[in-house]
Amino acid sequence: MTGLTHIDEAGAARMVDVGGKAVTAREAVASGRITMSTEAATAIGAGTAKKGDVLAVARVAGIMAAKRTSDLIPLCHPLPLTKVEIDLVVDETGVTATATASTEGKTGVEMEALTAATVTLLTIYDMAKAIDKTMVLSDIRVRAKSGGKSGNWTA
């Protein structure tokens, strides 16, 4: 099982030891999209969905999710996040969510950014499903990361 960092020599799952790594400033950006009917997008954008301010609730949910990533993804290290920011763009066919997570630590924050973006989109679905049950989450991915031994990367 060589080359797989989360598998030991016997094939068992393990948390990677980052104890010897340097503390560096790290940031990751992830995004995703939820596609929906024009009716749902209009209600979300105008703030008229029956469940309330969809964008505000989704933004808070994404931030909270980033802070709980290590509780959700079994082999992730708990990280002291210094920033989580959620940017939401509504257009006539849906919402694009972009999450930025930052820390000063020994491991990256890609999983925190991905978790934030995904939970933001899931919350939008939950709050708008009465308007459109056919919404589709897609294109969830890391857009960029900086810091650490591997340096900067952009998709």
Side-chain angles (χ1 to χ4, degrees):
M1 293 281 160
T2 60
L4 300 175
T5 60
H6 288 74
I7 305 290
D8 70 12
E9 296 77 25
R14 69 179 177 113
M15 183 182 231
V16 174
D17 181 0
V18 297
K21 294 173 81 175
V23 171
T24 63
R26 297 165 183 267
E27 184 171 272
V29 179
S31 66
R33 178 147 177 88
I34 185 165
T35 306
M36 62 190 65
S37 67
T38 302
E39 178 188 6
T42 300
I44 290 169
T48 59
K50 289 185 180 180
K51 286 192 175 182
D53 188 341
V54 173
L55 300 178
V57 174
R59 188 174 284 112
V60 171
I63 292 167
M64 290 175 64
K67 293 166 41 174
R68 301 294 304 266
T69 298
S70 66
D71 293 335
L72 300 169
I73 310 297
L75 302 177
C76 281
H77 293 82
L79 298 179
L81 295 173
T82 57
K83 175 179 95 173
V84 178
E85 185 174 287
I86 309 292
D87 180 51
L88 299 169
V89 177
V90 182
D91 61 40
E92 61 194 26
T93 62
V95 181
T96 299
T98 303
T100 303
S102 302
T103 191
E104 291 193 12
K106 296 181 176 205
T107 190
V109 288
E110 295 91 349
M111 293 307 299
E112 287 72 13
L114 283 166
T115 301
T118 303
V119 170
T120 297
L121 297 172
L122 288 169
T123 302
I124 292 169
Y125 183 94
D126 181 53
M127 293 193 68
K129 67 186 178 223
I131 305 167
D132 181 1
K133 291 176 181 35
T134 67
M135 292 178 280
V136 176
L137 281 67
S138 64
D139 299 322
I140 299 167
R141 58 186 163 175
V142 175
R143 296 282 186 179
K145 65 103 55 223
S146 63
K149 184 173 74 171
S150 63
N152 300 347
W153 175 85
T154 302

